[in-house]
């Protein structure tokens, strides 16, 4: 009986060679890590935790394509999965791969970020670039992305694969509506350029596709002139009906605000007065009368972009 089971074990090992050993034969400029992989089994949602076999730290798009093609060549029988991980802000385990390969997109190197000015300005960036870096670089040219997320320390590929909803979406659409072109590594390991007119099926499938149609390795993102100043306002509600009515009014207006975002919080331990103070410090009476600890609150964050010569007009909008 012992001999029988030993033969079975040998047969299985012959038919299905060790996947990590197979990955070690892949010729890349970057490297695989087979030891320190625990961090790739976590994400912002904290609902799922899938431990990968390896984490790839690519230096080039070729590293990603070669790895994906290697997995493709192994075949579906291995059940080896590949997932791209940016800043790990996914909620449903999108950036995880159970006993698979997680690609650390933030280590991706290649052409430097390139800002193009003109009548239709844009920036070419790596899929592993953070939005905060795009903003900093584009501002040097007096430009800024049209649509972004409220948290800017996220990767381009990560947010585009989730559509990229922002406070500017009611004016410019989500982030995926402001991209001219993509470079994508397909499930076969092919590097493909796509746009509205070139490989359009792949272009529209990748947007909001949660990484199921390819890995975004480069994007051409639309820019617009950046304002000189921004006025930021926060409004807090205890009544949901009033909150939604005001939000609908603000996003339907033509000359109101440029950024409108609504969210819900439970005000515990004085969160309201400690996080981005909601009251004028010269009006402590108003703050003391706002009894909200432990209550569900509804918040609107608003921003109006303007230049110095528009100061009077902006104040009129803010009080209307």
């Amino acid at each position: 009986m012992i001999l029988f089971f030993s033969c079975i074990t040998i047969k299985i090992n012959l038919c299905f060679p060790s996947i990590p050993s197979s990955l070690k034969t892949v010729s890349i400029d970057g490297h695989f890590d087979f030891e320190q992989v625990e961090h790739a089994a976590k994400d912002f949602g904290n609902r799922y935790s899938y431990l990968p076999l390896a984490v790839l730290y690519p230096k080039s798009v070729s590293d990603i394509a070669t790895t994906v093609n290697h997995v493709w060549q192994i075949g579906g029988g291995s059940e080896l999965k590949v997932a791209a991980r940016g800043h790990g802000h996914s909620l449903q385990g999108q950036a995880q791969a159970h006993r698979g390969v997680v690609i650390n997109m933030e280590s991706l190197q290649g052409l430097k970020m390139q800002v193009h000015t003109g009548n239709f300005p844009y920036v070419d960036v790596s899929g592993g670039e953070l939005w905060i870096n795009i903003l900093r670089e584009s501002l040097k040219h007096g430009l800024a992305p049209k649509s972004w997320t409220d948290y800017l320390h996220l990767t381009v590929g990560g947010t585009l694969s989730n559509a990229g909803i922002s406070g500017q979406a009611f004016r410019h659409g989500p982030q995926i509506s402001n991209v001219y072109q993509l470079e994508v590594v397909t499930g076969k390991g092919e590097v493909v350029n796509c746009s509205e007119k070139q490989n359009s099926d792949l272009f529209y499938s990748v947007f909001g596709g949660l990484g199921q149609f390819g890995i975004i390795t480069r994007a051409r993102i639309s820019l617009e002139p950046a304002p000189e100043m921004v006025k930021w306002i926060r409004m807090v509600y205890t009544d949901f009906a009033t909150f939604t009515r005001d939000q609908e009014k603000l996003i339907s207006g033509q000359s109101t605000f440029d950024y409108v975002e609504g969210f819900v919080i439970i005000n515990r331990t004085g969160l309201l007065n400690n996080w981005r103070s909601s009251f004028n410090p010269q009006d402590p009476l108003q703050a003391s009368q706002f009894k909200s600890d432990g209550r569900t609150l509804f918040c609107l964050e608003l921003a109006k972009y303007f230049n110095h010569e528009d100061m009077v007009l902006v104040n009129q909008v803010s009080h209307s």
Side-chain angles (χ1 to χ4, degrees):
M1 184 67 86
I2 294 176
L3 179 61
F4 174 76
F5 281 117
S6 297
C7 291
I8 291 295
T9 302
I10 293 173
K11 183 178 180 181
I12 291 175
N13 286 337
L14 289 174
C15 294
F16 301 98
S18 171
I19 295 300
S21 297
S22 173
L23 290 174
K24 290 176 182 178
T25 66
V26 179
S27 178
I28 57 175
D29 296 323
H31 71 279
F32 289 100
D33 191 337
F34 300 98
E35 303 297 332
Q36 305 297 324
V37 298
E38 292 80 9
H39 69 281
K42 301 176 182 177
D43 62 20
F44 184 74
N46 283 324
R47 296 183 59 197
Y48 301 93
S49 181
Y50 301 124
L51 197 67
L53 288 173
V55 176
L56 169 64
Y57 292 87
K59 284 188 177 180
S60 65
V61 174
S62 178
D63 285 354
I64 298 175
T66 299
T67 300
V68 173
N69 180 260
H70 178 78
V71 174
W72 169 262
Q73 294 295 334
I74 292 175
S78 71
E79 297 186 355
L80 189 64
K81 298 180 179 179
V82 178
R85 177 185 175 87
H87 215 59
H89 240 245
S90 56
L91 301 178
Q92 302 289 334
Q94 174 192 341
Q96 301 177 31
H98 179 57
R99 295 190 60 78
V101 179
V102 171
I103 301 175
N104 188 315
M105 295 298 294
E106 288 187 277
S107 73
L108 178 61
Q109 300 176 9
L111 294 175
K112 293 182 63 176
M113 189 188 313
Q114 298 178 343
V115 176
H116 298 261
T117 60
N119 294 331
F120 302 97
Y122 63 87
V123 57
D124 279 325
V125 294
S126 164
E129 190 63 78
L130 299 180
W131 283 97
I132 184 65
N133 295 332
I134 296 175
L135 177 61
R136 289 168 177 164
E137 186 63 27
S138 59
L139 282 175
K140 296 177 183 178
H141 302 267
L143 301 168
K146 293 180 180 179
S147 186
W148 40 25
T149 58
D150 59 351
Y151 181 60
L152 296 177
H153 290 266
L154 301 175
T155 61
V156 169
T159 60
L160 293 183
S161 68
N162 283 275
I165 303 301
S166 72
Q168 302 103 326
F170 73 101
R171 291 217 183 279
H172 299 292
Q175 290 179 327
I176 60 174
S177 297
N178 297 279
V179 178
Y180 295 138
Q181 183 177 310
L182 294 174
E183 178 187 73
V184 176
V185 175
T186 69
K188 293 183 179 181
E190 300 170 334
V191 181
V192 178
N193 288 315
C194 55
S195 64
E196 183 179 353
K197 297 182 179 180
Q198 179 186 17
N199 299 310
S200 59
D201 287 348
L202 178 63
F203 184 68
Y204 290 116
S205 296
V206 169
F207 284 142
L210 302 178
Q212 300 303 300
F213 297 92
I215 298 173
I216 299 172
T217 53
R218 197 159 188 83
R220 177 169 293 180
I221 299 166
S222 176
L223 301 175
E224 67 177 358
E228 296 176 359
M229 303 179 72
V230 175
K231 184 159 188 173
W232 178 79
I233 298 174
R234 188 170 183 231
M235 299 190 296
V236 182
Y237 300 77
T238 56
D239 179 68
F240 181 73
T242 306
F243 162 74
T244 55
R245 183 194 64 208
D246 285 358
Q247 188 174 30
E248 291 175 0
K249 180 180 179 180
L250 288 168
I251 65 176
S252 62
Q254 294 297 317
S255 302
T256 55
F257 291 88
D258 300 290
Y259 183 103
V260 178
E261 181 178 22
F263 59 96
V264 181
I265 63 171
I266 297 178
N267 189 34
R268 293 174 178 167
T269 65
L271 171 66
L272 188 64
N273 293 322
N274 292 328
W275 180 68
R276 299 181 186 175
S277 180
S278 300
F279 296 100
N280 189 323
Q282 297 178 353
D283 191 5
L285 179 62
Q286 182 185 13
S288 64
Q289 291 178 344
F290 195 81
K291 304 298 182 182
S292 62
D293 193 46
R295 297 183 64 179
T296 299
L297 301 176
F298 310 96
C299 303
L300 282 179
E301 286 191 351
L302 316 171
K304 181 66 178 178
Y305 307 154
F306 62 101
N307 297 322
H308 286 89
E309 61 269 21
D310 302 321
M311 180 74 75
V312 175
L313 178 62
V314 168
N315 289 331
Q316 291 177 351
V317 172
S318 301
H319 291 89
S320 61

